[in-house]
Amino acid sequence: RPFTVAIVGRPNVGKSTLFNRLIGKQIAIVDDTPGVTRDRREGQGRLGPLNFLVVDTAGFEDSYDDSLEARMRQQTERAIMEADVALMVIDARAGLTPMDEAFARLLRKGSTPVILLANKCEGKAGEPGLLEAYSLGLGDPVPFSAQHGIGLSELYDALEARA
Ligand code: GDP
Ligand code: MG
């Protein structure tokens, strides 16, 4: 099995933006038909000389219902279990929410190493959220911007140390 990296976190923090950046121009393995709920996308990730399988979770923003929490928990637990490293993403501009805390609890319970990415950290708007992220108990957050490509060398170092 290839070295596997799972991207986890609540909706809208930038997981898919990060996924797309890591797979670059390669085509995602699963069906991209509009309207089809995709809970999980996999692709060949690359960061410098590192190659890995990257898994994007929670592609079900269109199916908010009372099973959302349960599905998200299940999906995240599976992704974490199968991964060598989990990338936990938070939105540093929005600050922490109860859902971020719930994801963090799930990750702290597991044994998969976690890299905490404080996304949307371009500019100053992310600074309070970055500081808040220390309270998740997942180690030092990496200031990151999936959109602007900030923090990729720190992410590389953290992944390389675990590969
Ligand atoms: P997901 O639901 O976690 O997969 O989040 P998405 O990747 O779909 O992104 C949610 C929103 O955040 C989109 O509007 C993105 O353009 C935006 N976004 C993602 N990364 C960044 C970032 O680094 N900075 C800012 N400012 N916005 C971002
Ligand atoms: Mg997404």
Side-chain angles (χ1 to χ4, degrees), residues 2-140:
F3 187 74
T4 303
V5 175
I7 304 174
V8 301
R10 67 171 177 83
N12 215 38
V13 292
K15 295 182 300 300
S16 296
T17 305
L18 172 60
F19 176 83
N20 291 336
R21 185 172 275 280
L22 291 175
I23 68 165
K25 285 188 164 48
Q26 298 165 69
I27 297 154
I29 285 165
V30 284
D31 194 348
D32 240 9
T33 313
V36 173
T37 303
R38 286 163 287 124
D39 279 2
R40 181 187 168 92
R41 289 197 301 161
E42 296 186 357
Q44 187 60 51
R46 200 175 64 84
L47 199 52
L50 267 188
N51 286 287
F52 47 89
L53 182 71
V54 59
V55 180
D56 184 18
T57 59
F60 48 85
E61 292 85 352
D62 55 350
S63 59
Y64 275 91
D65 56 35
D66 56 11
S67 71
L68 175 70
E69 293 249 351
R71 287 179 61 202
M72 195 147 57
R73 193 175 323 107
Q74 260 176 14
Q75 184 201 116
T76 302
E77 279 172 340
R78 178 184 160 201
I80 294 166
M81 243 163 35
E82 293 175 356
D84 296 293
V85 177
L87 304 183
M88 162 75 179
V89 184
I90 65 140
D91 179 340
R93 289 175 180 244
L96 293 185
T97 72
M99 219 190 276
D100 295 312
E101 315 265 5
F103 274 102
R105 267 196 302 280
L106 215 60
L107 287 159
R108 287 197 308 263
K109 274 198 303 188
S111 54
T112 305
V114 178
I115 300 168
L116 177 58
L117 300 179
N119 194 36
K120 312 195 185 183
C121 257
E122 75 277 4
K124 289 201 181 300
E127 284 175 8
L130 174 66
L131 292 177
E132 269 188 323
Y134 281 87
S135 73
L136 291 174
L138 295 172
D140 291 359

